[in-house]
Every structure is written in structure tokens, then in C-alpha cells.
Amino acid sequence: AGEVDLIFEKGKVIVFVEVKTRMESNFARDYLFSTVTLKKQKKLRLLVDIYFSFHRNELKNYKEKIDLVGVIIPKNSENSIY
């Protein structure tokens, strides 16, 4: 069905994180979050539902949250991302 980039537990909340990374440009900040289309949002929702269905006994008192994190890599960055 797909993948979730990161999953965290904070208290009684399971946080599902979608990470979007782009190289720095004049339009990177405006474009970054627009890449999460309605189709992608629905897929994330489905993945959260699947995750909770597989872990329903352990997570019956938990809530879920979906977050979006944007990373912009500066031009001429000497660091590599692996």
C-alpha cells in the first residue's frame, strides 16, 4: 500500500510523519508542501488505518496524528544525505 517515513509515539499519540526534501531554489518553500497531493493524503490515511488495525490491541486507547516535515537543502551544501 505504501510507506510512512517516520512513526513516533508521544504519550498516547502515535505520530506519522511524511518528510519532503528539496534542494534550495527560489520556489522550494512554496513547492515543498504542495507535493503532498490529495491522493498522497488519502494514502497516508489508509496507512494509518492499516497500522492501527494491525496493532489494535496495543493501541486501543491511542490517538493518531499525521505531520508533514519539510527539509530544504541549501545550495552548495557540502553535506550528503544518506
Side-chain angles (χ1 to χ4, degrees), residues 24-69:
E24 183 179 35
S25 70
N26 292 337
F27 59 90
R29 292 188 201 311
D30 296 332
Y31 173 69
L32 189 62
F33 295 124
S34 67
T35 61
V36 183
T37 62
L38 182 58
K39 182 179 177 181
K40 179 65 177 178
Q41 292 173 40
K42 287 179 179 181
K43 186 178 237 183
L44 283 168
R45 177 77 254 160
L46 175 63
L47 292 171
V48 169
D49 291 344
I50 291 170
Y51 186 89
F52 267 78
S53 71
F54 274 102
H55 301 280
R56 70 178 141 258
N57 292 330
E58 310 100 292
L59 302 177
K60 62 183 170 188
N61 296 318
Y62 282 69
K63 294 183 180 184
E64 74 272 351
K65 179 181 177 188
I66 299 174
D67 282 346
L68 178 59
V69 173

mmCIF file of all heavy atoms in Angstrom, residues 24-69:
data_model
loop_
_atom_site.group_PDB
_atom_site.id
_atom_site.type_symbol
_atom_site.label_atom_id
_atom_site.label_comp_id
_atom_site.label_asym_id
_atom_site.label_seq_id
_atom_site.Cartn_x
_atom_site.Cartn_y
_atom_site.Cartn_z
ATOM 1 N N GLU A 24 17.415 23.739 -2.321
ATOM 2 C CA GLU A 24 17.067 25.158 -2.221
ATOM 3 C C GLU A 24 16.918 25.767 -3.613
ATOM 4 O O GLU A 24 17.721 25.529 -4.503
ATOM 5 C CB GLU A 24 18.152 25.898 -1.446
ATOM 6 C CG GLU A 24 17.853 27.354 -1.225
ATOM 7 C CD GLU A 24 18.946 28.033 -0.428
ATOM 8 O OE1 GLU A 24 20.129 27.680 -0.597
ATOM 9 O OE2 GLU A 24 18.616 28.921 0.350
ATOM 10 N N SER A 25 15.860 26.547 -3.782
ATOM 11 C CA SER A 25 15.630 27.287 -5.018
ATOM 12 C C SER A 25 14.689 28.436 -4.687
ATOM 13 O O SER A 25 14.205 28.551 -3.565
ATOM 14 C CB SER A 25 15.018 26.390 -6.098
ATOM 15 O OG SER A 25 13.688 26.060 -5.748
ATOM 16 N N ASN A 26 14.419 29.263 -5.676
ATOM 17 C CA ASN A 26 13.526 30.407 -5.446
ATOM 18 C C ASN A 26 12.110 29.977 -5.085
ATOM 19 O O ASN A 26 11.385 30.706 -4.437
ATOM 20 C CB ASN A 26 13.487 31.304 -6.689
ATOM 21 C CG ASN A 26 14.803 32.001 -6.916
ATOM 22 O OD1 ASN A 26 15.591 32.180 -5.989
ATOM 23 N ND2 ASN A 26 15.067 32.383 -8.151
ATOM 24 N N PHE A 27 11.713 28.784 -5.522
ATOM 25 C CA PHE A 27 10.339 28.342 -5.289
ATOM 26 C C PHE A 27 10.246 27.121 -4.372
ATOM 27 O O PHE A 27 9.167 26.594 -4.166
ATOM 28 C CB PHE A 27 9.655 28.029 -6.620
ATOM 29 C CG PHE A 27 10.348 26.964 -7.420
ATOM 30 C CD1 PHE A 27 10.001 25.639 -7.252
ATOM 31 C CD2 PHE A 27 11.340 27.293 -8.331
ATOM 32 C CE1 PHE A 27 10.643 24.645 -7.981
ATOM 33 C CE2 PHE A 27 11.986 26.302 -9.061
ATOM 34 C CZ PHE A 27 11.635 24.973 -8.886
ATOM 35 N N ALA A 28 11.351 26.689 -3.789
ATOM 36 C CA ALA A 28 11.361 25.455 -2.991
ATOM 37 C C ALA A 28 10.375 25.508 -1.831
ATOM 38 O O ALA A 28 9.634 24.568 -1.590
ATOM 39 C CB ALA A 28 12.760 25.167 -2.465
ATOM 40 N N ARG A 29 10.340 26.632 -1.114
ATOM 41 C CA ARG A 29 9.452 26.723 0.047
ATOM 42 C C ARG A 29 7.980 26.660 -0.366
ATOM 43 O O ARG A 29 7.177 26.014 0.290
ATOM 44 C CB ARG A 29 9.702 28.010 0.811
ATOM 45 C CG ARG A 29 11.058 28.043 1.486
ATOM 46 C CD ARG A 29 11.201 29.253 2.389
ATOM 47 N NE ARG A 29 12.514 29.694 2.744
ATOM 48 C CZ ARG A 29 13.507 28.958 3.210
ATOM 49 N NH1 ARG A 29 13.370 27.682 3.334
ATOM 50 N NH2 ARG A 29 14.662 29.483 3.540
ATOM 51 N N ASP A 30 7.636 27.315 -1.456
ATOM 52 C CA ASP A 30 6.247 27.296 -1.921
ATOM 53 C C ASP A 30 5.863 25.922 -2.461
ATOM 54 O O ASP A 30 4.735 25.477 -2.300
ATOM 55 C CB ASP A 30 6.036 28.346 -3.011
ATOM 56 C CG ASP A 30 6.238 29.759 -2.487
ATOM 57 O OD1 ASP A 30 6.004 29.978 -1.286
ATOM 58 O OD2 ASP A 30 6.627 30.615 -3.279
ATOM 59 N N TYR A 31 6.788 25.261 -3.108
ATOM 60 C CA TYR A 31 6.522 23.995 -3.785
ATOM 61 C C TYR A 31 6.553 22.792 -2.840
ATOM 62 O O TYR A 31 5.858 21.810 -3.056
ATOM 63 C CB TYR A 31 7.555 23.820 -4.901
ATOM 64 C CG TYR A 31 7.510 22.489 -5.586
ATOM 65 C CD1 TYR A 31 6.439 22.143 -6.407
ATOM 66 C CD2 TYR A 31 8.531 21.565 -5.423
ATOM 67 C CE1 TYR A 31 6.397 20.912 -7.051
ATOM 68 C CE2 TYR A 31 8.501 20.340 -6.064
ATOM 69 C CZ TYR A 31 7.430 20.025 -6.865
ATOM 70 O OH TYR A 31 7.391 18.812 -7.489
ATOM 71 N N LEU A 32 7.335 22.910 -1.779
ATOM 72 C CA LEU A 32 7.618 21.766 -0.915
ATOM 73 C C LEU A 32 6.365 21.030 -0.461
ATOM 74 O O LEU A 32 6.223 19.835 -0.650
ATOM 75 C CB LEU A 32 8.430 22.240 0.294
ATOM 76 C CG LEU A 32 9.007 21.167 1.194
ATOM 77 C CD1 LEU A 32 9.988 20.292 0.437
ATOM 78 C CD2 LEU A 32 9.700 21.814 2.371
ATOM 79 N N PHE A 33 5.422 21.734 0.138
ATOM 80 C CA PHE A 33 4.264 21.064 0.714
ATOM 81 C C PHE A 33 3.167 20.797 -0.314
ATOM 82 O O PHE A 33 2.297 19.964 -0.083
ATOM 83 C CB PHE A 33 3.719 21.857 1.895
ATOM 84 C CG PHE A 33 4.697 21.913 3.042
ATOM 85 C CD1 PHE A 33 5.116 23.123 3.559
ATOM 86 C CD2 PHE A 33 5.208 20.748 3.583
ATOM 87 C CE1 PHE A 33 6.027 23.163 4.606
ATOM 88 C CE2 PHE A 33 6.129 20.773 4.628
ATOM 89 C CZ PHE A 33 6.532 21.993 5.138
ATOM 90 N N SER A 34 3.227 21.463 -1.448
ATOM 91 C CA SER A 34 2.216 21.196 -2.476
ATOM 92 C C SER A 34 2.412 19.818 -3.110
ATOM 93 O O SER A 34 1.530 19.334 -3.808
ATOM 94 C CB SER A 34 2.241 22.279 -3.551
ATOM 95 O OG SER A 34 3.447 22.214 -4.284
ATOM 96 N N THR A 35 3.543 19.176 -2.826
ATOM 97 C CA THR A 35 3.782 17.838 -3.363
ATOM 98 C C THR A 35 2.958 16.775 -2.641
ATOM 99 O O THR A 35 2.878 15.642 -3.100
ATOM 100 C CB THR A 35 5.275 17.470 -3.295
ATOM 101 O OG1 THR A 35 5.691 17.472 -1.926
ATOM 102 C CG2 THR A 35 6.117 18.436 -4.100
ATOM 103 N N VAL A 36 2.363 17.153 -1.516
ATOM 104 C CA VAL A 36 1.502 16.210 -0.799
ATOM 105 C C VAL A 36 0.083 16.395 -1.321
ATOM 106 O O VAL A 36 -0.718 17.153 -0.788
ATOM 107 C CB VAL A 36 1.588 16.413 0.731
ATOM 108 C CG1 VAL A 36 0.735 15.370 1.444
ATOM 109 C CG2 VAL A 36 3.022 16.332 1.194
ATOM 110 N N THR A 37 -0.197 15.696 -2.395
ATOM 111 C CA THR A 37 -1.470 15.816 -3.092
ATOM 112 C C THR A 37 -2.593 15.144 -2.298
ATOM 113 O O THR A 37 -2.336 14.429 -1.313
ATOM 114 C CB THR A 37 -1.368 15.148 -4.462
ATOM 115 O OG1 THR A 37 -1.088 13.753 -4.253
ATOM 116 C CG2 THR A 37 -0.277 15.771 -5.313
ATOM 117 N N LEU A 38 -3.809 15.349 -2.735
ATOM 118 C CA LEU A 38 -4.953 14.694 -2.107
ATOM 119 C C LEU A 38 -4.788 13.173 -2.177
ATOM 120 O O LEU A 38 -5.089 12.461 -1.214
ATOM 121 C CB LEU A 38 -6.249 15.125 -2.788
ATOM 122 C CG LEU A 38 -7.532 14.555 -2.194
ATOM 123 C CD1 LEU A 38 -7.672 14.915 -0.719
ATOM 124 C CD2 LEU A 38 -8.737 15.067 -2.967
ATOM 125 N N LYS A 39 -4.268 12.674 -3.278
ATOM 126 C CA LYS A 39 -4.022 11.233 -3.419
ATOM 127 C C LYS A 39 -3.041 10.751 -2.348
ATOM 128 O O LYS A 39 -3.251 9.706 -1.724
ATOM 129 C CB LYS A 39 -3.481 10.939 -4.818
ATOM 130 C CG LYS A 39 -3.227 9.492 -5.088
ATOM 131 C CD LYS A 39 -2.723 9.285 -6.512
ATOM 132 C CE LYS A 39 -2.405 7.818 -6.769
ATOM 133 N NZ LYS A 39 -1.896 7.594 -8.119
ATOM 134 N N LYS A 40 -1.963 11.498 -2.137
ATOM 135 C CA LYS A 40 -0.972 11.136 -1.121
ATOM 136 C C LYS A 40 -1.582 11.216 0.277
ATOM 137 O O LYS A 40 -1.327 10.365 1.133
ATOM 138 C CB LYS A 40 0.256 12.056 -1.225
ATOM 139 C CG LYS A 40 1.327 11.786 -0.207
ATOM 140 C CD LYS A 40 1.958 10.416 -0.394
ATOM 141 C CE LYS A 40 3.086 10.203 0.595
ATOM 142 N NZ LYS A 40 3.698 8.884 0.477
ATOM 143 N N GLN A 41 -2.407 12.223 0.533
ATOM 144 C CA GLN A 41 -3.065 12.350 1.834
ATOM 145 C C GLN A 41 -3.972 11.152 2.104
ATOM 146 O O GLN A 41 -3.991 10.614 3.218
ATOM 147 C CB GLN A 41 -3.874 13.642 1.891
ATOM 148 C CG GLN A 41 -3.022 14.893 1.889
ATOM 149 C CD GLN A 41 -3.853 16.151 1.770
ATOM 150 O OE1 GLN A 41 -4.915 16.268 2.363
ATOM 151 N NE2 GLN A 41 -3.376 17.103 0.983
ATOM 152 N N LYS A 42 -4.706 10.723 1.086
ATOM 153 C CA LYS A 42 -5.584 9.558 1.243
ATOM 154 C C LYS A 42 -4.768 8.293 1.503
ATOM 155 O O LYS A 42 -5.151 7.445 2.297
ATOM 156 C CB LYS A 42 -6.461 9.385 0.006
ATOM 157 C CG LYS A 42 -7.554 10.424 -0.091
ATOM 158 C CD LYS A 42 -8.398 10.229 -1.337
ATOM 159 C CE LYS A 42 -9.502 11.259 -1.416
ATOM 160 N NZ LYS A 42 -10.353 11.087 -2.608
ATOM 161 N N LYS A 43 -3.631 8.189 0.818
ATOM 162 C CA LYS A 43 -2.764 7.026 1.019
ATOM 163 C C LYS A 43 -2.206 7.012 2.446
ATOM 164 O O LYS A 43 -2.172 5.967 3.098
ATOM 165 C CB LYS A 43 -1.618 7.035 0.007
ATOM 166 C CG LYS A 43 -0.760 5.797 0.049
ATOM 167 C CD LYS A 43 0.314 5.864 -1.011
ATOM 168 C CE LYS A 43 0.184 4.652 -1.892
ATOM 169 N NZ LYS A 43 1.216 4.590 -2.915
ATOM 170 N N LEU A 44 -1.800 8.169 2.936
ATOM 171 C CA LEU A 44 -1.322 8.259 4.316
ATOM 172 C C LEU A 44 -2.410 7.853 5.301
ATOM 173 O O LEU A 44 -2.167 7.125 6.257
ATOM 174 C CB LEU A 44 -0.835 9.682 4.635
ATOM 175 C CG LEU A 44 0.523 10.066 4.094
ATOM 176 C CD1 LEU A 44 0.745 11.571 4.228
ATOM 177 C CD2 LEU A 44 1.616 9.312 4.819
ATOM 178 N N ARG A 45 -3.616 8.335 5.067
ATOM 179 C CA ARG A 45 -4.753 7.988 5.931
ATOM 180 C C ARG A 45 -4.978 6.474 5.935
ATOM 181 O O ARG A 45 -5.197 5.870 6.979
ATOM 182 C CB ARG A 45 -6.001 8.726 5.425
ATOM 183 C CG ARG A 45 -7.267 8.435 6.155
ATOM 184 C CD ARG A 45 -7.313 9.167 7.471
ATOM 185 N NE ARG A 45 -7.084 8.195 8.525
ATOM 186 C CZ ARG A 45 -6.686 8.494 9.742
ATOM 187 N NH1 ARG A 45 -6.455 9.738 10.097
ATOM 188 N NH2 ARG A 45 -6.491 7.577 10.633
ATOM 189 N N LEU A 46 -4.889 5.854 4.750
ATOM 190 C CA LEU A 46 -5.045 4.408 4.637
ATOM 191 C C LEU A 46 -3.947 3.684 5.410
ATOM 192 O O LEU A 46 -4.209 2.712 6.130
ATOM 193 C CB LEU A 46 -5.019 3.990 3.164
ATOM 194 C CG LEU A 46 -5.041 2.485 2.888
ATOM 195 C CD1 LEU A 46 -6.334 1.850 3.388
ATOM 196 C CD2 LEU A 46 -4.851 2.222 1.405
ATOM 197 N N LEU A 47 -2.712 4.150 5.292
ATOM 198 C CA LEU A 47 -1.599 3.525 6.002
ATOM 199 C C LEU A 47 -1.753 3.632 7.511
ATOM 200 O O LEU A 47 -1.447 2.695 8.247
ATOM 201 C CB LEU A 47 -0.276 4.143 5.547
ATOM 202 C CG LEU A 47 0.117 3.829 4.107
ATOM 203 C CD1 LEU A 47 1.322 4.668 3.689
ATOM 204 C CD2 LEU A 47 0.391 2.354 3.918
ATOM 205 N N VAL A 48 -2.248 4.775 7.984
ATOM 206 C CA VAL A 48 -2.509 4.939 9.415
ATOM 207 C C VAL A 48 -3.572 3.941 9.857
ATOM 208 O O VAL A 48 -3.429 3.267 10.886
ATOM 209 C CB VAL A 48 -2.940 6.388 9.736
ATOM 210 C CG1 VAL A 48 -3.473 6.498 11.153
ATOM 211 C CG2 VAL A 48 -1.780 7.352 9.519
ATOM 212 N N ASP A 49 -4.626 3.818 9.084
ATOM 213 C CA ASP A 49 -5.693 2.867 9.416
ATOM 214 C C ASP A 49 -5.176 1.430 9.440
ATOM 215 O O ASP A 49 -5.524 0.648 10.332
ATOM 216 C CB ASP A 49 -6.852 2.998 8.430
ATOM 217 C CG ASP A 49 -7.605 4.314 8.575
ATOM 218 O OD1 ASP A 49 -7.444 4.992 9.619
ATOM 219 O OD2 ASP A 49 -8.336 4.676 7.637
ATOM 220 N N ILE A 50 -4.334 1.079 8.477
ATOM 221 C CA ILE A 50 -3.749 -0.266 8.436
ATOM 222 C C ILE A 50 -2.870 -0.498 9.661
ATOM 223 O O ILE A 50 -2.945 -1.552 10.304
ATOM 224 C CB ILE A 50 -2.953 -0.478 7.125
ATOM 225 C CG1 ILE A 50 -3.906 -0.539 5.934
ATOM 226 C CG2 ILE A 50 -2.090 -1.738 7.203
ATOM 227 C CD1 ILE A 50 -3.212 -0.497 4.585
ATOM 228 N N TYR A 51 -2.035 0.485 9.978
ATOM 229 C CA TYR A 51 -1.148 0.373 11.143
ATOM 230 C C TYR A 51 -1.964 0.125 12.406
ATOM 231 O O TYR A 51 -1.659 -0.775 13.194
ATOM 232 C CB TYR A 51 -0.301 1.641 11.277
ATOM 233 C CG TYR A 51 0.731 1.565 12.365
ATOM 234 C CD1 TYR A 51 2.005 1.070 12.107
ATOM 235 C CD2 TYR A 51 0.447 1.984 13.660
ATOM 236 C CE1 TYR A 51 2.961 1.002 13.103
ATOM 237 C CE2 TYR A 51 1.395 1.917 14.666
ATOM 238 C CZ TYR A 51 2.650 1.422 14.379
ATOM 239 O OH TYR A 51 3.588 1.349 15.374
ATOM 240 N N PHE A 52 -3.020 0.917 12.595
ATOM 241 C CA PHE A 52 -3.850 0.762 13.786
ATOM 242 C C PHE A 52 -4.599 -0.568 13.774
ATOM 243 O O PHE A 52 -4.813 -1.158 14.833
ATOM 244 C CB PHE A 52 -4.805 1.946 13.945
ATOM 245 C CG PHE A 52 -4.238 3.037 14.809
ATOM 246 C CD1 PHE A 52 -3.302 3.923 14.306
ATOM 247 C CD2 PHE A 52 -4.619 3.170 16.134
ATOM 248 C CE1 PHE A 52 -2.758 4.922 15.088
ATOM 249 C CE2 PHE A 52 -4.078 4.164 16.939
ATOM 250 C CZ PHE A 52 -3.148 5.037 16.422
ATOM 251 N N SER A 53 -4.982 -1.059 12.614
ATOM 252 C CA SER A 53 -5.685 -2.344 12.572
ATOM 253 C C SER A 53 -4.752 -3.495 12.958
ATOM 254 O O SER A 53 -5.183 -4.440 13.616
ATOM 255 C CB SER A 53 -6.314 -2.578 11.202
ATOM 256 O OG SER A 53 -5.334 -2.840 10.230
ATOM 257 N N PHE A 54 -3.478 -3.413 12.584
ATOM 258 C CA PHE A 54 -2.519 -4.452 12.950
ATOM 259 C C PHE A 54 -2.147 -4.395 14.426
ATOM 260 O O PHE A 54 -1.724 -5.395 14.999
ATOM 261 C CB PHE A 54 -1.243 -4.337 12.098
ATOM 262 C CG PHE A 54 -1.335 -5.043 10.788
ATOM 263 C CD1 PHE A 54 -1.573 -4.335 9.621
ATOM 264 C CD2 PHE A 54 -1.190 -6.420 10.701
ATOM 265 C CE1 PHE A 54 -1.668 -4.985 8.402
ATOM 266 C CE2 PHE A 54 -1.280 -7.073 9.485
ATOM 267 C CZ PHE A 54 -1.519 -6.363 8.333
ATOM 268 N N HIS A 55 -2.259 -3.234 15.039
ATOM 269 C CA HIS A 55 -1.854 -3.043 16.437
ATOM 270 C C HIS A 55 -3.036 -2.654 17.321
ATOM 271 O O HIS A 55 -2.861 -1.976 18.324
ATOM 272 C CB HIS A 55 -0.770 -1.967 16.512
ATOM 273 C CG HIS A 55 0.454 -2.302 15.718
ATOM 274 N ND1 HIS A 55 1.421 -3.162 16.169
ATOM 275 C CD2 HIS A 55 0.852 -1.906 14.485
ATOM 276 C CE1 HIS A 55 2.369 -3.284 15.252
ATOM 277 N NE2 HIS A 55 2.051 -2.523 14.220
ATOM 278 N N ARG A 56 -4.234 -3.074 16.947
ATOM 279 C CA ARG A 56 -5.447 -2.605 17.624
ATOM 280 C C ARG A 56 -5.464 -2.908 19.114
ATOM 281 O O ARG A 56 -5.946 -2.106 19.888
ATOM 282 C CB ARG A 56 -6.694 -3.106 16.924
ATOM 283 C CG ARG A 56 -6.973 -4.555 17.042
ATOM 284 C CD ARG A 56 -8.290 -4.930 16.340
ATOM 285 N NE ARG A 56 -8.144 -6.207 15.670
ATOM 286 C CZ ARG A 56 -7.949 -6.368 14.383
ATOM 287 N NH1 ARG A 56 -7.915 -5.337 13.594
ATOM 288 N NH2 ARG A 56 -7.791 -7.562 13.866
ATOM 289 N N ASN A 57 -4.931 -4.061 19.542
ATOM 290 C CA ASN A 57 -4.952 -4.388 20.967
ATOM 291 C C ASN A 57 -4.038 -3.468 21.775
ATOM 292 O O ASN A 57 -4.419 -2.987 22.839
ATOM 293 C CB ASN A 57 -4.567 -5.852 21.194
ATOM 294 C CG ASN A 57 -5.619 -6.801 20.659
ATOM 295 O OD1 ASN A 57 -6.804 -6.478 20.635
ATOM 296 N ND2 ASN A 57 -5.188 -7.968 20.211
ATOM 297 N N GLU A 58 -2.840 -3.227 21.261
ATOM 298 C CA GLU A 58 -1.886 -2.372 21.985
ATOM 299 C C GLU A 58 -2.260 -0.890 21.922
ATOM 300 O O GLU A 58 -1.902 -0.112 22.795
ATOM 301 C CB GLU A 58 -0.463 -2.504 21.425
ATOM 302 C CG GLU A 58 0.051 -3.912 21.271
ATOM 303 C CD GLU A 58 -0.055 -4.412 19.839
ATOM 304 O OE1 GLU A 58 -1.185 -4.599 19.367
ATOM 305 O OE2 GLU A 58 0.996 -4.609 19.208
ATOM 306 N N LEU A 59 -2.953 -0.475 20.864
ATOM 307 C CA LEU A 59 -3.192 0.948 20.617
ATOM 308 C C LEU A 59 -4.652 1.364 20.800
ATOM 309 O O LEU A 59 -5.039 2.441 20.356
ATOM 310 C CB LEU A 59 -2.742 1.310 19.198
ATOM 311 C CG LEU A 59 -1.271 1.029 18.875
ATOM 312 C CD1 LEU A 59 -0.974 1.352 17.430
ATOM 313 C CD2 LEU A 59 -0.359 1.792 19.809
ATOM 314 N N LYS A 60 -5.449 0.557 21.479
ATOM 315 C CA LYS A 60 -6.890 0.866 21.556
ATOM 316 C C LYS A 60 -7.184 2.183 22.270
ATOM 317 O O LYS A 60 -8.202 2.797 22.018
ATOM 318 C CB LYS A 60 -7.667 -0.281 22.185
ATOM 319 C CG LYS A 60 -7.288 -0.614 23.595
ATOM 320 C CD LYS A 60 -8.077 -1.822 24.076
ATOM 321 C CE LYS A 60 -7.513 -2.297 25.409
ATOM 322 N NZ LYS A 60 -8.107 -3.554 25.810
ATOM 323 N N ASN A 61 -6.294 2.662 23.137
ATOM 324 C CA ASN A 61 -6.503 3.932 23.836
ATOM 325 C C ASN A 61 -5.645 5.064 23.267
ATOM 326 O O ASN A 61 -5.483 6.097 23.904
ATOM 327 C CB ASN A 61 -6.222 3.769 25.333
ATOM 328 C CG ASN A 61 -7.198 2.808 25.981
ATOM 329 O OD1 ASN A 61 -8.393 2.845 25.695
ATOM 330 N ND2 ASN A 61 -6.692 1.931 26.833
ATOM 331 N N TYR A 62 -5.086 4.845 22.093
ATOM 332 C CA TYR A 62 -4.207 5.833 21.472
ATOM 333 C C TYR A 62 -4.957 6.631 20.403
ATOM 334 O O TYR A 62 -5.924 6.170 19.820
ATOM 335 C CB TYR A 62 -3.009 5.142 20.806
ATOM 336 C CG TYR A 62 -1.936 4.716 21.771
ATOM 337 C CD1 TYR A 62 -2.147 3.681 22.682
ATOM 338 C CD2 TYR A 62 -0.699 5.334 21.768
ATOM 339 C CE1 TYR A 62 -1.161 3.285 23.559
ATOM 340 C CE2 TYR A 62 0.305 4.948 22.636
ATOM 341 C CZ TYR A 62 0.069 3.916 23.534
ATOM 342 O OH TYR A 62 1.045 3.533 24.402
ATOM 343 N N LYS A 63 -4.438 7.810 20.155
ATOM 344 C CA LYS A 63 -4.924 8.644 19.053
ATOM 345 C C LYS A 63 -3.818 8.708 18.015
ATOM 346 O O LYS A 63 -2.666 8.390 18.301
ATOM 347 C CB LYS A 63 -5.266 10.047 19.551
ATOM 348 C CG LYS A 63 -6.427 10.058 20.510
ATOM 349 C CD LYS A 63 -6.768 11.462 20.918
ATOM 350 C CE LYS A 63 -7.956 11.394 21.877
ATOM 351 N NZ LYS A 63 -8.425 12.705 22.249
ATOM 352 N N GLU A 64 -4.174 9.146 16.817
ATOM 353 C CA GLU A 64 -3.160 9.287 15.777
ATOM 354 C C GLU A 64 -3.072 10.738 15.323
ATOM 355 O O GLU A 64 -4.010 11.506 15.468
ATOM 356 C CB GLU A 64 -3.447 8.387 14.583
ATOM 357 C CG GLU A 64 -4.567 8.843 13.695
ATOM 358 C CD GLU A 64 -5.941 8.360 14.090
ATOM 359 O OE1 GLU A 64 -6.082 7.512 14.977
ATOM 360 O OE2 GLU A 64 -6.899 8.858 13.481
ATOM 361 N N LYS A 65 -1.901 11.052 14.789
ATOM 362 C CA LYS A 65 -1.651 12.392 14.262
ATOM 363 C C LYS A 65 -0.755 12.223 13.039
ATOM 364 O O LYS A 65 0.157 11.394 13.046
ATOM 365 C CB LYS A 65 -0.954 13.236 15.327
ATOM 366 C CG LYS A 65 -0.617 14.628 14.891
ATOM 367 C CD LYS A 65 0.086 15.378 16.018
ATOM 368 C CE LYS A 65 0.488 16.749 15.532
ATOM 369 N NZ LYS A 65 1.318 17.445 16.489
ATOM 370 N N ILE A 66 -1.022 12.991 11.994
ATOM 371 C CA ILE A 66 -0.178 12.976 10.797
ATOM 372 C C ILE A 66 0.483 14.345 10.682
ATOM 373 O O ILE A 66 -0.194 15.371 10.683
ATOM 374 C CB ILE A 66 -0.999 12.661 9.536
ATOM 375 C CG1 ILE A 66 -1.644 11.277 9.645
ATOM 376 C CG2 ILE A 66 -0.108 12.750 8.295
ATOM 377 C CD1 ILE A 66 -2.588 10.937 8.514
ATOM 378 N N ASP A 67 1.812 14.341 10.626
ATOM 379 C CA ASP A 67 2.581 15.580 10.479
ATOM 380 C C ASP A 67 3.348 15.563 9.165
ATOM 381 O O ASP A 67 3.669 14.499 8.630
ATOM 382 C CB ASP A 67 3.582 15.747 11.619
ATOM 383 C CG ASP A 67 2.953 16.236 12.909
ATOM 384 O OD1 ASP A 67 1.798 16.705 12.864
ATOM 385 O OD2 ASP A 67 3.606 16.147 13.959
ATOM 386 N N LEU A 68 3.657 16.742 8.691
ATOM 387 C CA LEU A 68 4.448 16.912 7.483
ATOM 388 C C LEU A 68 5.673 17.746 7.835
ATOM 389 O O LEU A 68 5.549 18.809 8.448
ATOM 390 C CB LEU A 68 3.615 17.619 6.410
ATOM 391 C CG LEU A 68 4.274 17.933 5.089
ATOM 392 C CD1 LEU A 68 4.769 16.665 4.409
ATOM 393 C CD2 LEU A 68 3.305 18.669 4.185
ATOM 394 N N VAL A 69 6.851 17.238 7.481
ATOM 395 C CA VAL A 69 8.105 17.936 7.749
ATOM 396 C C VAL A 69 8.763 18.254 6.420
ATOM 397 O O VAL A 69 8.869 17.386 5.547
ATOM 398 C CB VAL A 69 9.046 17.066 8.611
ATOM 399 C CG1 VAL A 69 10.411 17.719 8.759
ATOM 400 C CG2 VAL A 69 8.431 16.797 9.972
#
